[in-house]
Each structure stands twice: as C-alpha cells, then as structure tokens.
Amino acid sequence: MQVAPVADETTWSFLHRVGAAYRLGIEELLAGWRWVNPVTARAASRPRRRRRRRRS
C-alpha cells in the first residue's frame, strides 16, 4: 500500500492518513517517528578535509 501526500496537505494530516492506512493510532505512529533536519544530517556525514602538513 502506498500513501502519497496531497497537494497543500499539512504534515499532520498526512501522518493521520498514513496511520489510518496501516491501522495505527497517532500515538503508535509517532512513537517510532524521528524528526531529522536533512541539512544538518547531510553536513554531519560529510567527510572532513584533511589538513596539509607544513614543510619545515
């Protein structure tokens, strides 16, 4: 079963429809939900640049 957001639908409304599609109450659905900021997640996983050693 696939549930897709409708144009101009709020996140809360979409979550309710997802829960209904899988016969989950909103409490059960949100218990496993983890909000992630994609910008922060992407920046945290970027490899760090190696520093060049100075020649003496």
Side-chain angles (χ1 to χ4, degrees), residues 17-48:
R17 287 193 317 107
V18 169
Y22 291 98
R23 296 183 181 172
L24 295 172
I26 196 67
E27 296 84 18
E28 295 169 311
L29 184 64
L30 292 178
W33 193 268
R34 193 174 110 196
W35 295 97
V36 175
N37 181 345
V39 174
T40 306
R42 201 173 330 125
S45 64
R46 184 175 46 187
R48 294 190 178 266

